[in-house]
Amino acid sequence: MASQAQLDMLAKINSQNGFIAALDQSGGSTPKALGLYGVEESEYQGDEEMFAKVHEMRTRIITSSVFNGERVLGAILFENTLDRDILGQSSSSYLWNVKQVVPFLKVDKGLEAEVNGTQLLKAMPELDGLLAKANAKNVFGTKMRSVVKLANAQGIEALVEQQFAVAKQILDAGLMPIIEPEVDIHSPEKAEAEALLKASILKHLGLLAADQQVMLKLTLPETANFYQDLVNHPKVLKVVALSGGYSREEANNRLTENNGMIASFSRALSEGLSAKQSDAEFDATMDSSIESIYQASKS
């Protein structure tokens, strides 16, 4: 049974304008994220210090006066952030209770090696325990990312089948899954891969129970409104877009062309932010970023 907070979160995601902030870089991507933020690898030693630095960055973003539920619908965290506090509250509680931003949790453990032009999710034997923890912390949903490199029908079907199998486990735990089959923006077969991906997703949506919904997180497509069938699908709560390495300007321009899709940007959100900025400079930079992504998500 969903908690009242989770029902309120569902209503917010369903009805309000805004976008989802992806604050979930972890593991191998963390040094790069910190480097872009102006924190050099010489400034920390070992994983514990690295994750402490990343939590400082996330805390600065989340506690900024310009980061709130008026324009930011939700935020995706990784487990290390979920386990830490922000100003005396658990990170997920602070997001919802103070900022009215819906918390999501990244649950995947990274990617398998490429097979048939795709990288599937690594096995997640601890997923049930992680979902129980997410529920205990009033998290609304989850996210897991796999990657499509080439237009290989067999590989794409295997990837989508795996994503939906995990999504059903997440739905059974009472949480909202964000299914993220990222198409590599550098793929030489990007448009062809998107066509295969859409067909496979539509097939698997049709296999969900009548009362089940999922969210989708997709690379911005080569053809405007290519995913309109998914945006309008009764089994889809929301289609969110990943920036995938596009600059914020390029990502916003592409998003504006896709009606009904909203942003779930990571690098494009934090672009221009620096640990060396004063609070006033930091807030002004972030306010501009949030506003541009919010406007692109309203189209």
Side-chain angles (χ1 to χ4, degrees), residues 21-27 29-30 33 54 57-58 75-79 81 104-108 142-145 180 217 264-267:
L23 305 176
D24 61 325
Q25 301 99 335
S26 61
S29 62
T30 301
V54 109
M57 176 178 82
R58 302 263 162 75
I76 305 169
L77 310 175
F78 78 127
E79 188 178 2
T81 303
F104 291 84
L105 176 65
K106 168 188 145 71
V107 294
D108 69 75
T142 65
K143 189 207 84 162
M144 60 270 183
R145 168 183 171 266
E180 182 181 10
K217 182 166 177 173
S264 177
F265 293 169
S266 169
R267 275 167 291 185

PDB file of all heavy atoms in Angstrom, residues 21-27 29-30 33 54 57-58 75-79 81 104-108 142-145 180 217 264-267:
ATOM      1  N   ALA A  21      15.886  16.244 -11.900  1.00  0.00           N
ATOM      2  CA  ALA A  21      17.336  16.450 -11.818  1.00  0.00           C
ATOM      3  C   ALA A  21      18.012  15.096 -11.601  1.00  0.00           C
ATOM      4  O   ALA A  21      17.653  14.364 -10.679  1.00  0.00           O
ATOM      5  CB  ALA A  21      17.662  17.397 -10.664  1.00  0.00           C
ATOM      6  N   ALA A  22      18.963  14.751 -12.461  1.00  0.00           N
ATOM      7  CA  ALA A  22      19.693  13.491 -12.311  1.00  0.00           C
ATOM      8  C   ALA A  22      20.983  13.776 -11.534  1.00  0.00           C
ATOM      9  O   ALA A  22      21.939  14.298 -12.086  1.00  0.00           O
ATOM     10  CB  ALA A  22      19.992  12.886 -13.678  1.00  0.00           C
ATOM     11  N   LEU A  23      20.962  13.441 -10.254  1.00  0.00           N
ATOM     12  CA  LEU A  23      22.105  13.698  -9.365  1.00  0.00           C
ATOM     13  C   LEU A  23      22.704  12.369  -8.916  1.00  0.00           C
ATOM     14  O   LEU A  23      23.052  12.185  -7.762  1.00  0.00           O
ATOM     15  CB  LEU A  23      21.648  14.504  -8.142  1.00  0.00           C
ATOM     16  CG  LEU A  23      20.912  15.821  -8.419  1.00  0.00           C
ATOM     17  CD1 LEU A  23      20.430  16.448  -7.116  1.00  0.00           C
ATOM     18  CD2 LEU A  23      21.816  16.797  -9.177  1.00  0.00           C
ATOM     19  N   ASP A  24      22.836  11.444  -9.869  1.00  0.00           N
ATOM     20  CA  ASP A  24      23.135  10.063  -9.488  1.00  0.00           C
ATOM     21  C   ASP A  24      24.409   9.506 -10.094  1.00  0.00           C
ATOM     22  O   ASP A  24      24.583   8.294 -10.146  1.00  0.00           O
ATOM     23  CB  ASP A  24      21.959   9.162  -9.864  1.00  0.00           C
ATOM     24  CG  ASP A  24      21.665   9.160 -11.362  1.00  0.00           C
ATOM     25  OD1 ASP A  24      21.839  10.210 -12.004  1.00  0.00           O
ATOM     26  OD2 ASP A  24      21.255   8.117 -11.899  1.00  0.00           O
ATOM     27  N   GLN A  25      25.342  10.369 -10.563  1.00  0.00           N
ATOM     28  CA  GLN A  25      26.619   9.807 -11.014  1.00  0.00           C
ATOM     29  C   GLN A  25      27.232   9.074  -9.839  1.00  0.00           C
ATOM     30  O   GLN A  25      27.176   9.539  -8.712  1.00  0.00           O
ATOM     31  CB  GLN A  25      27.613  10.896 -11.461  1.00  0.00           C
ATOM     32  CG  GLN A  25      27.145  11.766 -12.589  1.00  0.00           C
ATOM     33  CD  GLN A  25      26.608  13.080 -12.085  1.00  0.00           C
ATOM     34  OE1 GLN A  25      26.156  13.204 -10.963  1.00  0.00           O
ATOM     35  NE2 GLN A  25      26.657  14.067 -12.931  1.00  0.00           N
ATOM     36  N   SER A  26      27.828   7.924 -10.118  1.00  0.00           N
ATOM     37  CA  SER A  26      28.396   7.130  -9.032  1.00  0.00           C
ATOM     38  C   SER A  26      29.583   6.346  -9.566  1.00  0.00           C
ATOM     39  O   SER A  26      29.792   6.257 -10.776  1.00  0.00           O
ATOM     40  CB  SER A  26      27.350   6.165  -8.471  1.00  0.00           C
ATOM     41  OG  SER A  26      26.914   5.281  -9.480  1.00  0.00           O
ATOM     42  N   GLY A  27      30.348   5.783  -8.647  1.00  0.00           N
ATOM     43  CA  GLY A  27      31.442   4.893  -9.046  1.00  0.00           C
ATOM     44  C   GLY A  27      32.379   5.542 -10.036  1.00  0.00           C
ATOM     45  O   GLY A  27      32.963   6.590  -9.783  1.00  0.00           O
ATOM     46  N   SER A  29      31.989   7.240 -12.732  1.00  0.00           N
ATOM     47  CA  SER A  29      31.707   8.564 -13.298  1.00  0.00           C
ATOM     48  C   SER A  29      31.919   9.685 -12.283  1.00  0.00           C
ATOM     49  O   SER A  29      31.888  10.859 -12.642  1.00  0.00           O
ATOM     50  CB  SER A  29      30.272   8.619 -13.840  1.00  0.00           C
ATOM     51  OG  SER A  29      29.333   8.411 -12.807  1.00  0.00           O
ATOM     52  N   THR A  30      32.152   9.349 -11.019  1.00  0.00           N
ATOM     53  CA  THR A  30      32.256  10.380  -9.982  1.00  0.00           C
ATOM     54  C   THR A  30      33.475  11.284 -10.152  1.00  0.00           C
ATOM     55  O   THR A  30      33.342  12.508 -10.061  1.00  0.00           O
ATOM     56  CB  THR A  30      32.234   9.736  -8.577  1.00  0.00           C
ATOM     57  OG1 THR A  30      31.009   9.015  -8.436  1.00  0.00           O
ATOM     58  CG2 THR A  30      32.306  10.785  -7.493  1.00  0.00           C
ATOM     59  N   ALA A  33      32.668  13.796 -12.788  1.00  0.00           N
ATOM     60  CA  ALA A  33      31.677  14.782 -12.337  1.00  0.00           C
ATOM     61  C   ALA A  33      32.325  15.804 -11.404  1.00  0.00           C
ATOM     62  O   ALA A  33      32.069  17.006 -11.499  1.00  0.00           O
ATOM     63  CB  ALA A  33      30.516  14.079 -11.639  1.00  0.00           C
ATOM     64  N   VAL A  54      31.549  14.463  -3.230  1.00  0.00           N
ATOM     65  CA  VAL A  54      30.392  14.478  -4.122  1.00  0.00           C
ATOM     66  C   VAL A  54      29.135  14.836  -3.332  1.00  0.00           C
ATOM     67  O   VAL A  54      28.251  15.534  -3.832  1.00  0.00           O
ATOM     68  CB  VAL A  54      30.272  13.141  -4.877  1.00  0.00           C
ATOM     69  CG1 VAL A  54      29.126  12.282  -4.453  1.00  0.00           C
ATOM     70  CG2 VAL A  54      30.136  13.376  -6.367  1.00  0.00           C
ATOM     71  N   MET A  57      28.922  18.513  -3.004  1.00  0.00           N
ATOM     72  CA  MET A  57      28.415  19.111  -4.242  1.00  0.00           C
ATOM     73  C   MET A  57      26.895  18.955  -4.328  1.00  0.00           C
ATOM     74  O   MET A  57      26.168  19.915  -4.608  1.00  0.00           O
ATOM     75  CB  MET A  57      29.087  18.455  -5.450  1.00  0.00           C
ATOM     76  CG  MET A  57      28.567  18.942  -6.799  1.00  0.00           C
ATOM     77  SD  MET A  57      29.419  18.189  -8.216  1.00  0.00           S
ATOM     78  CE  MET A  57      28.561  16.634  -8.359  1.00  0.00           C
ATOM     79  N   ARG A  58      26.405  17.731  -4.064  1.00  0.00           N
ATOM     80  CA  ARG A  58      24.968  17.482  -4.145  1.00  0.00           C
ATOM     81  C   ARG A  58      24.211  18.321  -3.114  1.00  0.00           C
ATOM     82  O   ARG A  58      23.147  18.860  -3.388  1.00  0.00           O
ATOM     83  CB  ARG A  58      24.691  15.994  -3.887  1.00  0.00           C
ATOM     84  CG  ARG A  58      25.404  15.063  -4.849  1.00  0.00           C
ATOM     85  CD  ARG A  58      24.530  14.612  -5.992  1.00  0.00           C
ATOM     86  NE  ARG A  58      25.318  14.094  -7.093  1.00  0.00           N
ATOM     87  CZ  ARG A  58      25.930  12.912  -7.118  1.00  0.00           C
ATOM     88  NH1 ARG A  58      25.869  12.117  -6.079  1.00  0.00           N
ATOM     89  NH2 ARG A  58      26.586  12.540  -8.187  1.00  0.00           N
ATOM     90  N   ALA A  75      14.270  14.316  -8.156  1.00  0.00           N
ATOM     91  CA  ALA A  75      15.720  14.195  -8.218  1.00  0.00           C
ATOM     92  C   ALA A  75      16.091  12.725  -8.066  1.00  0.00           C
ATOM     93  O   ALA A  75      15.534  12.025  -7.217  1.00  0.00           O
ATOM     94  CB  ALA A  75      16.386  15.022  -7.124  1.00  0.00           C
ATOM     95  N   ILE A  76      17.018  12.262  -8.912  1.00  0.00           N
ATOM     96  CA  ILE A  76      17.503  10.881  -8.847  1.00  0.00           C
ATOM     97  C   ILE A  76      18.806  10.873  -8.059  1.00  0.00           C
ATOM     98  O   ILE A  76      19.751  11.596  -8.378  1.00  0.00           O
ATOM     99  CB  ILE A  76      17.726  10.301 -10.257  1.00  0.00           C
ATOM    100  CG1 ILE A  76      16.447  10.423 -11.113  1.00  0.00           C
ATOM    101  CG2 ILE A  76      18.150   8.835 -10.162  1.00  0.00           C
ATOM    102  CD1 ILE A  76      16.662  10.111 -12.585  1.00  0.00           C
ATOM    103  N   LEU A  77      18.832  10.051  -7.026  1.00  0.00           N
ATOM    104  CA  LEU A  77      20.002   9.923  -6.152  1.00  0.00           C
ATOM    105  C   LEU A  77      20.629   8.547  -6.351  1.00  0.00           C
ATOM    106  O   LEU A  77      19.977   7.622  -6.819  1.00  0.00           O
ATOM    107  CB  LEU A  77      19.583  10.058  -4.683  1.00  0.00           C
ATOM    108  CG  LEU A  77      18.711  11.259  -4.314  1.00  0.00           C
ATOM    109  CD1 LEU A  77      18.291  11.165  -2.849  1.00  0.00           C
ATOM    110  CD2 LEU A  77      19.451  12.571  -4.577  1.00  0.00           C
ATOM    111  N   PHE A  78      21.901   8.400  -5.961  1.00  0.00           N
ATOM    112  CA  PHE A  78      22.428   7.050  -5.892  1.00  0.00           C
ATOM    113  C   PHE A  78      22.504   6.646  -4.425  1.00  0.00           C
ATOM    114  O   PHE A  78      22.290   7.459  -3.529  1.00  0.00           O
ATOM    115  CB  PHE A  78      23.733   6.894  -6.659  1.00  0.00           C
ATOM    116  CG  PHE A  78      24.991   7.409  -6.017  1.00  0.00           C
ATOM    117  CD1 PHE A  78      26.093   6.585  -5.878  1.00  0.00           C
ATOM    118  CD2 PHE A  78      25.111   8.733  -5.602  1.00  0.00           C
ATOM    119  CE1 PHE A  78      27.272   7.060  -5.313  1.00  0.00           C
ATOM    120  CE2 PHE A  78      26.287   9.212  -5.050  1.00  0.00           C
ATOM    121  CZ  PHE A  78      27.374   8.361  -4.895  1.00  0.00           C
ATOM    122  N   GLU A  79      22.750   5.346  -4.174  1.00  0.00           N
ATOM    123  CA  GLU A  79      22.548   4.804  -2.830  1.00  0.00           C
ATOM    124  C   GLU A  79      23.383   5.533  -1.783  1.00  0.00           C
ATOM    125  O   GLU A  79      22.926   5.766  -0.652  1.00  0.00           O
ATOM    126  CB  GLU A  79      22.860   3.309  -2.817  1.00  0.00           C
ATOM    127  CG  GLU A  79      22.501   2.636  -1.507  1.00  0.00           C
ATOM    128  CD  GLU A  79      22.777   1.144  -1.506  1.00  0.00           C
ATOM    129  OE1 GLU A  79      23.289   0.612  -2.513  1.00  0.00           O
ATOM    130  OE2 GLU A  79      22.474   0.509  -0.482  1.00  0.00           O
ATOM    131  N   THR A  81      24.161   8.629  -1.599  1.00  0.00           N
ATOM    132  CA  THR A  81      23.478   9.861  -1.193  1.00  0.00           C
ATOM    133  C   THR A  81      22.275   9.542  -0.310  1.00  0.00           C
ATOM    134  O   THR A  81      22.017  10.229   0.684  1.00  0.00           O
ATOM    135  CB  THR A  81      23.032  10.670  -2.426  1.00  0.00           C
ATOM    136  OG1 THR A  81      24.165  10.946  -3.250  1.00  0.00           O
ATOM    137  CG2 THR A  81      22.389  11.989  -2.021  1.00  0.00           C
ATOM    138  N   PHE A 104      13.960   9.844  -6.242  1.00  0.00           N
ATOM    139  CA  PHE A 104      14.127   8.580  -6.960  1.00  0.00           C
ATOM    140  C   PHE A 104      15.498   8.016  -6.596  1.00  0.00           C
ATOM    141  O   PHE A 104      16.400   8.765  -6.235  1.00  0.00           O
ATOM    142  CB  PHE A 104      14.086   8.794  -8.482  1.00  0.00           C
ATOM    143  CG  PHE A 104      12.745   9.189  -9.033  1.00  0.00           C
ATOM    144  CD1 PHE A 104      12.334  10.518  -9.017  1.00  0.00           C
ATOM    145  CD2 PHE A 104      11.899   8.248  -9.605  1.00  0.00           C
ATOM    146  CE1 PHE A 104      11.102  10.895  -9.537  1.00  0.00           C
ATOM    147  CE2 PHE A 104      10.672   8.614 -10.130  1.00  0.00           C
ATOM    148  CZ  PHE A 104      10.270   9.939 -10.099  1.00  0.00           C
ATOM    149  N   LEU A 105      15.664   6.715  -6.744  1.00  0.00           N
ATOM    150  CA  LEU A 105      16.928   6.054  -6.418  1.00  0.00           C
ATOM    151  C   LEU A 105      17.449   5.275  -7.621  1.00  0.00           C
ATOM    152  O   LEU A 105      16.727   4.466  -8.199  1.00  0.00           O
ATOM    153  CB  LEU A 105      16.722   5.091  -5.236  1.00  0.00           C
ATOM    154  CG  LEU A 105      17.939   4.257  -4.828  1.00  0.00           C
ATOM    155  CD1 LEU A 105      19.068   5.133  -4.294  1.00  0.00           C
ATOM    156  CD2 LEU A 105      17.546   3.191  -3.798  1.00  0.00           C
ATOM    157  N   LYS A 106      18.699   5.513  -7.979  1.00  0.00           N
ATOM    158  CA  LYS A 106      19.373   4.698  -8.999  1.00  0.00           C
ATOM    159  C   LYS A 106      19.675   3.340  -8.376  1.00  0.00           C
ATOM    160  O   LYS A 106      20.339   3.260  -7.337  1.00  0.00           O
ATOM    161  CB  LYS A 106      20.670   5.378  -9.424  1.00  0.00           C
ATOM    162  CG  LYS A 106      21.633   4.532 -10.252  1.00  0.00           C
ATOM    163  CD  LYS A 106      22.940   5.290 -10.422  1.00  0.00           C
ATOM    164  CE  LYS A 106      24.156   4.391 -10.426  1.00  0.00           C
ATOM    165  NZ  LYS A 106      24.291   3.570 -11.612  1.00  0.00           N
ATOM    166  N   VAL A 107      19.174   2.267  -8.988  1.00  0.00           N
ATOM    167  CA  VAL A 107      19.348   0.938  -8.390  1.00  0.00           C
ATOM    168  C   VAL A 107      20.288   0.035  -9.176  1.00  0.00           C
ATOM    169  O   VAL A 107      20.698  -1.017  -8.674  1.00  0.00           O
ATOM    170  CB  VAL A 107      17.986   0.210  -8.210  1.00  0.00           C
ATOM    171  CG1 VAL A 107      17.123   0.935  -7.199  1.00  0.00           C
ATOM    172  CG2 VAL A 107      17.244   0.040  -9.537  1.00  0.00           C
ATOM    173  N   ASP A 108      20.678   0.413 -10.389  1.00  0.00           N
ATOM    174  CA  ASP A 108      21.519  -0.496 -11.166  1.00  0.00           C
ATOM    175  C   ASP A 108      22.953  -0.510 -10.628  1.00  0.00           C
ATOM    176  O   ASP A 108      23.393   0.408  -9.952  1.00  0.00           O
ATOM    177  CB  ASP A 108      21.479  -0.145 -12.654  1.00  0.00           C
ATOM    178  CG  ASP A 108      22.160   1.169 -12.976  1.00  0.00           C
ATOM    179  OD1 ASP A 108      23.401   1.220 -12.972  1.00  0.00           O
ATOM    180  OD2 ASP A 108      21.451   2.167 -13.226  1.00  0.00           O
ATOM    181  N   THR A 142      12.507   4.415  -8.850  1.00  0.00           N
ATOM    182  CA  THR A 142      13.875   3.954  -9.091  1.00  0.00           C
ATOM    183  C   THR A 142      14.276   4.228 -10.526  1.00  0.00           C
ATOM    184  O   THR A 142      13.428   4.553 -11.367  1.00  0.00           O
ATOM    185  CB  THR A 142      13.982   2.442  -8.847  1.00  0.00           C
ATOM    186  OG1 THR A 142      13.169   1.775  -9.829  1.00  0.00           O
ATOM    187  CG2 THR A 142      13.532   2.051  -7.457  1.00  0.00           C
ATOM    188  N   LYS A 143      15.559   4.050 -10.798  1.00  0.00           N
ATOM    189  CA  LYS A 143      16.048   4.193 -12.165  1.00  0.00           C
ATOM    190  C   LYS A 143      17.137   3.174 -12.422  1.00  0.00           C
ATOM    191  O   LYS A 143      17.978   2.932 -11.558  1.00  0.00           O
ATOM    192  CB  LYS A 143      16.619   5.599 -12.380  1.00  0.00           C
ATOM    193  CG  LYS A 143      16.952   5.898 -13.839  1.00  0.00           C
ATOM    194  CD  LYS A 143      18.059   6.915 -13.974  1.00  0.00           C
ATOM    195  CE  LYS A 143      19.420   6.265 -13.871  1.00  0.00           C
ATOM    196  NZ  LYS A 143      20.509   7.108 -14.397  1.00  0.00           N
ATOM    197  N   MET A 144      17.113   2.544 -13.609  1.00  0.00           N
ATOM    198  CA  MET A 144      18.217   1.666 -14.001  1.00  0.00           C
ATOM    199  C   MET A 144      18.529   1.888 -15.469  1.00  0.00           C
ATOM    200  O   MET A 144      17.649   1.961 -16.307  1.00  0.00           O
ATOM    201  CB  MET A 144      17.921   0.195 -13.700  1.00  0.00           C
ATOM    202  CG  MET A 144      16.729  -0.420 -14.375  1.00  0.00           C
ATOM    203  SD  MET A 144      15.242  -0.225 -13.395  1.00  0.00           S
ATOM    204  CE  MET A 144      14.042  -1.116 -14.396  1.00  0.00           C
ATOM    205  N   ARG A 145      19.837   2.014 -15.769  1.00  0.00           N
ATOM    206  CA  ARG A 145      20.290   2.413 -17.104  1.00  0.00           C
ATOM    207  C   ARG A 145      21.036   1.283 -17.790  1.00  0.00           C
ATOM    208  O   ARG A 145      21.975   0.715 -17.244  1.00  0.00           O
ATOM    209  CB  ARG A 145      21.218   3.623 -16.965  1.00  0.00           C
ATOM    210  CG  ARG A 145      21.995   3.998 -18.214  1.00  0.00           C
ATOM    211  CD  ARG A 145      22.921   5.179 -17.907  1.00  0.00           C
ATOM    212  NE  ARG A 145      23.861   5.467 -18.986  1.00  0.00           N
ATOM    213  CZ  ARG A 145      25.102   4.981 -19.034  1.00  0.00           C
ATOM    214  NH1 ARG A 145      25.543   4.181 -18.071  1.00  0.00           N
ATOM    215  NH2 ARG A 145      25.897   5.290 -20.039  1.00  0.00           N
ATOM    216  N   GLU A 180      15.422   2.968 -18.284  1.00  0.00           N
ATOM    217  CA  GLU A 180      16.320   3.834 -19.061  1.00  0.00           C
ATOM    218  C   GLU A 180      17.165   3.017 -20.034  1.00  0.00           C
ATOM    219  O   GLU A 180      18.253   2.565 -19.701  1.00  0.00           O
ATOM    220  CB  GLU A 180      17.242   4.649 -18.146  1.00  0.00           C
ATOM    221  CG  GLU A 180      18.153   5.589 -18.935  1.00  0.00           C
ATOM    222  CD  GLU A 180      19.104   6.408 -18.074  1.00  0.00           C
ATOM    223  OE1 GLU A 180      19.221   6.134 -16.867  1.00  0.00           O
ATOM    224  OE2 GLU A 180      19.748   7.318 -18.624  1.00  0.00           O
ATOM    225  N   LYS A 217      12.961   6.731 -19.535  1.00  0.00           N
ATOM    226  CA  LYS A 217      14.000   7.754 -19.698  1.00  0.00           C
ATOM    227  C   LYS A 217      14.763   7.429 -20.972  1.00  0.00           C
ATOM    228  O   LYS A 217      15.429   6.395 -21.069  1.00  0.00           O
ATOM    229  CB  LYS A 217      14.938   7.784 -18.485  1.00  0.00           C
ATOM    230  CG  LYS A 217      16.018   8.864 -18.590  1.00  0.00           C
ATOM    231  CD  LYS A 217      16.730   9.117 -17.277  1.00  0.00           C
ATOM    232  CE  LYS A 217      17.836  10.156 -17.461  1.00  0.00           C
ATOM    233  NZ  LYS A 217      18.462  10.580 -16.195  1.00  0.00           N
ATOM    234  N   SER A 264      15.438  14.992 -17.842  1.00  0.00           N
ATOM    235  CA  SER A 264      16.062  14.396 -16.657  1.00  0.00           C
ATOM    236  C   SER A 264      17.559  14.477 -16.904  1.00  0.00           C
ATOM    237  O   SER A 264      18.206  13.485 -17.239  1.00  0.00           O
ATOM    238  CB  SER A 264      15.612  12.957 -16.450  1.00  0.00           C
ATOM    239  OG  SER A 264      16.296  12.402 -15.338  1.00  0.00           O
ATOM    240  N   PHE A 265      18.072  15.697 -16.794  1.00  0.00           N
ATOM    241  CA  PHE A 265      19.443  15.966 -17.193  1.00  0.00           C
ATOM    242  C   PHE A 265      20.399  15.857 -16.011  1.00  0.00           C
ATOM    243  O   PHE A 265      20.058  16.188 -14.886  1.00  0.00           O
ATOM    244  CB  PHE A 265      19.567  17.375 -17.791  1.00  0.00           C
ATOM    245  CG  PHE A 265      18.841  17.566 -19.106  1.00  0.00           C
ATOM    246  CD1 PHE A 265      18.689  18.846 -19.628  1.00  0.00           C
ATOM    247  CD2 PHE A 265      18.323  16.497 -19.821  1.00  0.00           C
ATOM    248  CE1 PHE A 265      18.034  19.053 -20.829  1.00  0.00           C
ATOM    249  CE2 PHE A 265      17.656  16.694 -21.027  1.00  0.00           C
ATOM    250  CZ  PHE A 265      17.522  17.975 -21.539  1.00  0.00           C
ATOM    251  N   SER A 266      21.611  15.434 -16.323  1.00  0.00           N
ATOM    252  CA  SER A 266      22.676  15.323 -15.330  1.00  0.00           C
ATOM    253  C   SER A 266      23.760  16.344 -15.655  1.00  0.00           C
ATOM    254  O   SER A 266      23.802  17.431 -15.075  1.00  0.00           O
ATOM    255  CB  SER A 266      23.223  13.888 -15.343  1.00  0.00           C
ATOM    256  OG  SER A 266      24.390  13.794 -14.595  1.00  0.00           O
ATOM    257  N   ARG A 267      24.625  16.011 -16.622  1.00  0.00           N
ATOM    258  CA  ARG A 267      25.701  16.944 -17.002  1.00  0.00           C
ATOM    259  C   ARG A 267      25.145  18.280 -17.483  1.00  0.00           C
ATOM    260  O   ARG A 267      25.698  19.336 -17.193  1.00  0.00           O
ATOM    261  CB  ARG A 267      26.579  16.314 -18.080  1.00  0.00           C
ATOM    262  CG  ARG A 267      27.679  15.419 -17.537  1.00  0.00           C
ATOM    263  CD  ARG A 267      28.313  14.587 -18.621  1.00  0.00           C
ATOM    264  NE  ARG A 267      27.397  13.574 -19.135  1.00  0.00           N
ATOM    265  CZ  ARG A 267      27.728  12.657 -20.027  1.00  0.00           C
ATOM    266  NH1 ARG A 267      28.945  12.629 -20.514  1.00  0.00           N
ATOM    267  NH2 ARG A 267      26.856  11.768 -20.438  1.00  0.00           N
TER     268      ARG A 267
END
